[in-house]
Each structure stands twice: as structure tokens, then as C-alpha cells.
């Protein structure tokens, strides 16, 4: 036993250190199995060790993979104690690859592998061995199973699953910050030898990164790695088996490492001073310009906020940060004035919005710059001293009084004189005027509060140097009341008193109105103009008064209408009063005081007839009367004329021809030209008749001198008529009258007065005659012609 164990140890000692190939190992005790094979183990030197004991039992053979020899690789030998070496025994192999991959010499029991074996393909083969008697074919040993185990050699290199890895790590990370882990795999047997023991190393990427040899974890290796200097790194990692020893197989991979940004850079203004300019007229809110600081960081680490932190214009300007461009826009906050201040200086600060406390030690994350803003001059319109003016003036001021003065000045440094004018559209009645030099407004017409209480004017101020630069201002003129109107009855009172009224009876309550508008309100007083025995007025002291009877019994037959003058006065200064007359009719009433009938005139007129209608009727009556009087006057005058022959006055015909007469205006219907001077007859212009003109061509022979005998004159006229071809064929009468030299009548025609034809001819020629009658018949008598013969 002891020998056996010593042998085994010896065998182990021989095999392991020398990477020997073993034939096999076994263990056998004679106690258990009296018969059996002796397993032989041969060292590398090929020497076989012989055993004393028989046995037929073994566990496994070992065989190296990847055998590269030209002959068959020897695996081991089967041997039975029964084998006397005479060739009577036969060894038989069966199982995985028996006969093909593994062959056995049936006489000697030597097993060989026929070709190269790859462990990574199949790590062990299970086979059975048998020994039979060649003659009897009876097994001499029981069938036994054994394993051929393939020994690994390092024939696989480590491989990475990815060809390129990408990873990122924040810049400025502390040394040793883990970036990423890469792992390689090795197909070799990890349970045997070092063939699958992988060690990592860095081939490229030093000194920035390192790799842990056992784990493959990549870590940062340099402090303060700055993204702003270099962002991308390419690291090559090698994995080597055999524990990294020489001769090990290796594989590599690439890791692209990106440094991510942290806020480790403050904003920076590129310039120390920025100049901006702005016209003074720019309204509040106008953008003047922008400032921009740069930040080496990216994304939100570069976001910043602008502020005005100091300067002499901090309240005049604002700065707003524009998110998308990261600019600071400076705007006008208060109106600027070149004349007040021309240059402002601002201190503008830009500060990062997202600051990382880890980098406070790098300094403040902000920067400042100086912004100088120049205000530029603009020609500005005049400025009034107030935004509007209110002037109050009493309505009774004299025309030409100055009611107030507006003031304006030119704000420009070259102050121009101002010229004032009134916008005439706001003073259409031209009640006001303005002194163009000094802005004093005065009245040019009287004021009347009762017509217009307000005059809202617009005054224009223009610079004399630049008349287009104008400004307007509103001037409100309020007209203050003066008591210049007397109170009057509020309405027209239609009042009556009953015949059966008793003393002290109320017949009317009266009230009054006044166009004035005194501050303390209106107060009216009522009284009678004179003492009256019939009526009295009782002032109610509330701007009304009652009219009462003073005695019993009125009679409309005695007096049908009373006129009662009532004095109404106000209490303003100066006191204004008026007298209104109340008309009180006397009426019969029933005993309840309801009016039944009033005086005669009232009875005639239908109730409710208006004053207008009454006036119209009156006018008609007057016109009729005038016409009648005119006719009468005419008639009387004609009667006075000495040469009228008979009572059959031709003028009667005028009336009988229905000449209605158009009043004094109608000179055609009532042609007072009948009384004209004969010389005026030639004036035919106003005539409207349509008788052929030949009929009227004056064929007057030259008039006899003033002292010619009248008879001669008449004879001459007679002759004319005899030879007149246009005269009617029947007899006609022509009458001629002569007033004599000293007549004061001259021309009676108002139409002729002052004409050149009235040449002091004292002849008053009348040519009346039946011919007129004929003509009148011919023309219907409407447009009578009365002055032809
Ligand atoms: C890795 O980095 C290299 C060089 O910087 C670049 O050409 C390549 O495209 C990167 N690969 C990946 C997958 O990002
Ligand atoms: C403005 O000028 C007018 C006439 O030149 C003068 O009557 C008036 O008093 C002046 N107004 C003022 C406020 O001086
Ligand atoms: C004028 O202005 C006053 C005050 O603003 C106003 O009460 C009045 O109605 C205005 N009158 C006219 C005619 O515009
Ligand atoms: C008062 O009435 C009487 C009688 O009716 C009349 O004569 C008198 O004139 C009246 N007086 C006045 C002032 O009307």
C-alpha cells in the first residue's frame, strides 16, 4: 500500500511541473479486485513504470489538445493481468470516437488519437474497454468505462464584445474617477492553468487615463482635465491572458472618452468699455444697444444674467437678458434730455446663472464692463408750461380783456422764440384771439354764458426758426355767470276767475325761470306792479306764488278780462326784474268752480284755437281791409278828376272784370302807371301782355311846344287815330286831359320817378277809351292794359 502511494505522489510530481502528458491514472486494490489491468504511466521520457498488481479499472486518460506531431498521438495503453503476452487476448474499444478518432492496437492495447483534437470543441470523450480471449471470444475482464479528458492549452486570445466603446466623464473630475469598465472574455479553460486569466493594460490614453489590471475599470489619471482644452480622448485597452505574462495572447479595444462640461469658466466681456448712442427723443422702452459677454462653457453652464450695478444713469436705463442670444439689451427707462445730460456711464455685470459651488475657488463667476451712452440732440417742439390751462372769466368782461396767458419754451439748447396761434377750428365764432408773441388770450367778441358756458380752445405753439415743430395745448375757458337775465313766467298762464268767486280764492299758482345760474341757486320774488283791489299775489317763498281774489263777485258783462301785471325779481347782484302780465278771464262757473262759459270773445272762438291761428285770421282780415281801403281811395281820387265824363266811370270796369288785386306789390293788376307822365308810356318793359307790338308803336308826332293851343293838340291826336291802321274798326273814344302848366302833380307814377324820360313835361295825358274795353274783352280782363288809347 505504502509503496503504491509513494508511487502516485512520484507520478504527480513528475507530471505537473513538466506539463507532461499522462497516460492515465488509476487506483486499484487487490482486495477488491483480484484480477485487473495494471495501468501504466509513462513520463515524458516514455519510460513505462510497471506495477505488480493486476487491475482493470481506471478513471480517465489525459490528452493535450492541438497536437501538431506528424504521427498518431499516443493516448495510453490497456493491459490485463491475464495477458501472458502470447497474443491470446484481444482489446476492444467502443464509445465516443472509437475506431475513428481513437484507435486501439488489439494485441498490445495501445490507444492513439488519429487527428488533432480541440478542447474548445469537445472537452472529454467517454469510451469503453474490453479484453476478450481471442479463441473463446469470452471476455477475460469485465467491460470498463473510462474518460479521455482533453487538456487545455492557451490557444484563444481574450476578446472584447465591442470594438469601440464610448464613455464620458465630467471635466475637472478628481483623479481616479471611474469612467467605464471594459471586460474581455477568453475561450480557454478558466479552471485549468492561466490560459483564461486576463490582465488589462492601457496602450494609448496615458497619462490621462488608467485601467485597473484585474477589473478593466478605466479611471481618470490626471487632475483638472479641462474640457475647454481638450474634449475628446481615445483610449486603447489591451487584455492579455496567461495573467499578462509573456507569451500570453492579447486583444484590444478602443474607448472614446468625452469630457462633459462643468461650469468652471466665468463670463468675460471682450471689451472694457462699450460706447452706445441714442437720440434724446427716443421714447421709454427703446432699445439702445446690446452687450454680450462670452463664456467658455456650454449649455446652461454658459447662461448668464446681466445687471446694471453702478454708474450715474442707473435709474435712466434698464438691461434685460435675452435668453436665446445671451445678450444684455439696454433700454431707455426714463425720458432723456440732451439739454439736461449728454453722457451716462453704466457699470454692467454679467453673472452665470448656474454656479457650481465646487468651483468657487476659481473666483467669482461674473464680469463687468463700462457702458457709455451718449445722448444725441434732436430738434424738439416747444413745451408748454402746463399740460392744459383752465381760465375762468365773467361773462360781462369788456371785449379785448386778456383772460389768461399760456407759456411755452423751446427745450433745445439753441432756444428759439415761440409764436402762438389759436386753432380756429376750436373757435369757430372767433370770440377769442391770442397775442402771438406772448401767449395772452383776449376776447374779440362779447361773451355770454347763457349761449355757451365753455370755450375749449386749442393753442398752437410753433418755433419761429422751425415753424413745423409745433405743440398744441388745450385751453378750457369757463364763462362765469353774471346776473344779466331777468326772471320770467315759467309758462304762459291761461287763467280765469269765476263770476261767483269769493274773496281769497286761489285762481293760479305761478312760477318763474331765469337763464342765469347763480351759485346759491335761484330765488325769485313776486309782487304786484300796483295795488289792485281785485287780485293779490302771495309769494310762497319757494320760487312760486299764488294769485288770489280780493273780493267777491266778478261779472263778465262788466269786465270780461282783467290784466294783472306781476313783478318777478331775483336776488342776485345786480337785481334783475321783469313784469309779466297775467290775463284773467271772467267766466261763469258751476258751484263747484268748474268753468262753464267765459267772455264773448272766448265763446266765439273754438276752444283750443291757438294764438298762431288767431294771428293768421287777423292778418287775413287786415289784408282784406287794406284792399277795400285801397279801392275806396282809388275811387275817390278818380272822382276828383275833372275830365271824367259821366258816372259810367271806366274804372268801374276794372272791378267788374274780377281783378282781385295782389296788394301793393302787384303793379300789373293795379297798374298805377295809368297816372303816368305821357313820356313814361314809352316804357314797355314791364308789360306782360302779348298784344303785337305794332299795335303800340307810338306814332306820336312831335309834341307841340308847351304853349301850343290845346285844341291843336287834340286835333292832332284825332288825326292820328283816323289814320291808324291798327285801330279797331269800330268807333272808339279817346279822351285827353290837360292839367295845365302849374300842376304840382307831376308824375304820379312811383315807377317813373327819377327816370330820364320824365323830362319835366307838364302834360298829363290820359288816354282812356272804349278801345280799352275792347282789349279787355279780348284778353279776358285779367291782365288789363289801361294806358293805351
Ligand atoms: C471615436 O473617436 C474617433 C477619433 O476621435 C472618431 O473618429 C470616431 O468616430 C469615434 N467613434 C465613436 C463611435 O464615437
Ligand atoms: C402781451 O402783449 C400784449 C400786446 O403786445 C399786451 O397787451 C399784453 O399785456 C402782453 N401780455 C403779457 C402777459 O405781458
Ligand atoms: C369743455 O371742457 C370742459 C372741461 O373739460 C367740459 O366739461 C365741457 O363739456 C367741454 N365743452 C365742450 C363744448 O367741449
Ligand atoms: C277792479 O274791478 C273793478 C270792477 O270790476 C274795476 O272797475 C277796476 O278797474 C278794477 N281795478 C283794476 C286795477 O283792474
Amino acid at each position: 500500500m505504502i509503496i503504491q502511494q509513494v508511487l502516485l505522489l512520484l507520478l504527480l510530481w513528475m507530471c505537473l511541473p513538466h506539463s507532461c502528458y499522462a497516460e492515465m491514472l488509476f487506483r486499484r486494490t487487490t482486495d477488491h479486485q483480484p484480477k485487473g489491468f495494471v495501468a501504466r504511466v509513462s513520463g515524458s521520457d516514455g519510460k513505462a513504470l510497471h506495477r505488480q498488481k493486476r487491475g482493470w479499472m481506471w478513471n480517465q486518460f489525459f490528452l493535450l489538445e492541438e497536437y501538431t506531431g506528424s504521427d498518431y498521438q499516443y493516448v495510453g495503453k490497456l493491459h490485463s493481468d491475464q495477458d501472458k503476452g502470447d497474443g491470446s487476448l484481444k482489446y476492444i474499444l467502443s464509445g465516443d470516437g472509437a475506431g475513428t478518432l481513437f484507435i486501439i492496437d488489439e494485441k498490445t492495447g495501445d490507444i492513439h488519437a488519429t487527428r488533432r483534437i480541440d478542447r474548445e470543441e469537445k472537452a472529454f470523450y467517454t469510451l469503453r474497454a474490453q479484453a476478450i480471449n481471442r479463441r473463446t471470444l469470452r471476455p477475460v475482464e469485465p467491460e470498463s468505462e473510462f474518460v479521455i479528458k482533453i487538456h487545455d492549452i492557451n490557444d484563444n486570445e481574450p476578446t472584447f464584445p465591442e470594438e469601440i466603446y464610448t464613455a464620458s466623464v465630467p471635466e475637472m473630475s478628481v483623479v481616479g474617477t471611474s469612467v467605464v469598465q471594459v471586460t474581455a472574455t477568453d475561450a480557454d479553460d478558466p479552471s485549468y492553468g492561466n490560459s483564461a486569466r486576463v490582465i488589462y493594460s492601457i496602450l494609448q490614453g496615458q497619462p490621462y487615463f488608467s485601467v485597473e489590471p484585474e477589473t478593466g475599470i478605466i479611471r481618470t489619471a490626471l487632475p483638472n482635465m479641462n474640457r475647454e482644452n481638450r474634449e475628446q480622448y481615445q483610449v486603447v485597452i489591451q487584455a492579455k491572458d496567461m495573467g499578462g505574462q509573456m507569451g500570453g495572447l492579447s486583444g484590444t479595444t478602443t474607448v472614446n472618452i468625452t469630457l462633459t462640461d462643468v461650469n468652471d469658466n466665468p463670463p468675460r466681456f471682450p471689451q472694457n468699455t462699450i460706447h452706445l448712442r441714442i437720440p434724446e427723443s427716443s421714447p421709454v422702452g427703446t432699445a439702445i444697444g446690446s452687450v454680450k459677454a462670452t463664456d467658455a462653457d456650454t449649455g446652461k453652464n454658459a447662461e448668464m444674467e446681466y445687471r446694471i450695478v453702478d454708474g450715474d444713469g442707473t435709474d435712466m436705463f434698464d438691461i434685460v437678458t435675452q435668453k436665446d442670444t445671451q445678450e444684455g439689451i439696454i433700454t431707455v427707462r426714463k425720458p432723456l434730455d440732451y439739454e439736461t445730460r449728454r453722457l451716462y456711464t453704466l457699470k454692467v455685470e454679467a453673472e452665470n446663472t448656474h454656479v457650481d459651488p465646487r468651483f468657487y475657488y476659481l473666483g467669482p463667476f461674473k464680469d463687468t464692463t463700462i457702458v457709455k451712452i451718449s445722448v444725441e440732440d434732436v430738434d424738439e417742439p416747444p413745451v408748454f408750461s402746463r399740460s392744459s390751462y383752465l381760465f375762468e372769466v365773467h361773462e360781462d368782461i369788456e371785449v379785448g380783456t386778456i383772460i389768461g396767458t399760456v407759456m411755452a419754451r423751446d427745450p433745445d439748447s439753441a432756444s428759439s422764440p415761440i409764436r402762438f396761434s389759436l386753432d380756429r377750428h376750436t373757435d369757430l365764432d372767433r370770440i377769442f384771439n391770442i397775442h402771438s408773441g406772448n401767449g395772452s388770450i383776449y376776447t374779440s367778441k362779447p361773451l355770454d354764458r347763457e349761449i355757451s358756458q365753455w370755450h375749449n380752445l386749442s393753442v398752437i405753439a410753433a418755433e419761429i426758426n422751425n415753424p413745423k415743430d409745433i405743440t398744441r395745448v388745450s385751453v378750457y375757458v369757463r364763462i362765469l355767470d353774471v346776473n344779466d337775465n331777468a326772471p320770467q313766467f315759467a309758462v304762459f298762464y291761461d287763467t280765469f276767475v269765476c263770476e261767483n268767486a269769493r274773496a281769497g280764492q286761489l285762481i293760479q299758482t305761478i312760477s318763474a325761470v331765469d337763464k342765469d345760474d347763480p351759485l346759491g341757486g335761484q330765488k325769485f320774488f313776486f309782487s304786484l306792479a300796483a295795488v289792485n283791489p281785485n287780485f293779490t299775489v302771495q309769494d310762497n317763498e319757494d320760487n312760486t306764488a299764488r294769485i288770489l281774489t280780493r273780493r267777491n263777485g266778478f261779472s263778465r258783462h262788466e269786465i270780461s278780462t282783467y290784466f294783472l301785471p306781476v313783478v318777478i325779481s331775483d336776488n342776485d347782484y345786480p337785481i334783475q326784474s321783469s313784469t309779466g302780465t297775467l290775463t284773467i278771464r271772467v267766466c261763469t262757473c258751476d258751484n263747484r268752480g268748474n268753468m262753464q262759459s267765459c267772455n264773448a270773445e272766448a265763446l266765439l272762438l273754438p276752444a283750443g284755437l291757438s294764438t298762431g291761428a288767431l294771428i293768421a285770421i287777423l292778418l287775413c282780415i287786415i289784408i282784406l281791409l287794406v284792399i277795400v281801403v285801397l279801392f275806396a281811395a282809388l275811387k275817390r281820387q278818380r272822382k276828383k278828376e275833372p275830365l271824367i265824363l259821366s258816372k259810367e266811370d271806366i274804372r268801374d270796369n276794372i272791378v267788374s272784370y274780377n281783378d282781385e288785386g295782389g296788394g301793393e306789390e302787384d303793379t300789373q293788376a293795379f297798374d298805377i302807371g295809368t297816372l303816368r307822365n305821357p313820356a313814361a308810356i314809352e316804357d314797355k318793359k314791364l308789360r306782360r301782355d302779348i298784344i303785337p307790338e305794332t299795335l303800340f308803336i307810338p306814332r306820336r308826332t312831335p309834341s307841340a311846344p308847351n304853349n301850343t293851343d290845346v285844341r291843336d293838340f287834340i286835333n292832332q291826336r284825332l288825326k292820328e287815330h283816323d289814320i291808324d291802321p291798327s285801330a279797331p274798326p269800330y268807333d272808339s273814344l279817346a279822351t285827353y286831359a290837360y292839367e295845365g302848366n302849374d300842376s304840382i302833380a307831376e308824375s304820379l307814377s312811383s315807377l317813373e320817378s327819377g327816370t330820364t324820360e320824365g323830362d319835366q313835361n307838364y302834360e298829363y295825358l290820359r288816354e282812356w277809351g272804349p278801345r280799352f274795353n275792347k282789349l279787355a274783352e279780348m284778353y279776358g280782363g285779367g291782365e288789363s292794359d289801361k294806358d293805351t288809347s
Side-chain angles (χ1 to χ4, degrees), residues 405-435:
T405 300
V406 297
M407 279 188 280
R409 60 172 189 90
D410 178 10
D412 294 322
S413 46
S415 184
S416 162
I418 308 289
R419 176 171 294 279
F420 297 95
S421 58
L422 265 178
D423 184 347
R424 283 295 166 197
H425 296 290
T426 61
D427 181 31
L428 292 172
D429 296 334
R430 297 186 166 262
I431 295 173
F432 298 96
N433 233 325
I434 190 163
H435 288 301

Side-chain angles (χ1 to χ4, degrees), residues 506-564:
L506 172 70
I507 57 169
Q508 181 71 48
T509 300
I510 55 173
S511 62
V513 287
D514 189 335
K515 285 190 218 153
D516 290 320
D517 186 18
L519 282 177
Q522 292 285 11
K523 182 91 185 89
F524 301 125
F525 300 101
F526 300 89
S527 61
L528 286 183
V531 181
N532 191 306
N534 305 322
F535 302 102
T536 184
V537 170
Q538 216 168 67
D539 199 327
N540 291 336
E541 297 190 352
D542 62 352
N543 290 349
T544 63
R546 289 177 298 161
I547 308 291
L548 305 170
T549 52
R550 265 190 104 171
R551 61 175 174 85
N552 295 341
F554 293 85
S555 163
R556 63 178 170 138
H557 299 299
E558 197 180 315
I559 291 180
S560 63
T561 308
Y562 289 93
F563 296 101
L564 183 66

Side-chain angles (χ1 to χ4, degrees), residues 402 405 435 438 440:
I402 290 178
T405 300
H435 288 301
N438 61 15
S440 290

Side-chain angles (χ1 to χ4, degrees), residues 694-695 697 699 719-729 771:
T694 51
L695 215 60
I697 292 168
R699 294 164 308 275
K719 237 184 265 166
E720 279 173 24
H721 283 288
D722 283 342
I723 59 163
D724 186 1
S726 62
R771 183 173 170 192

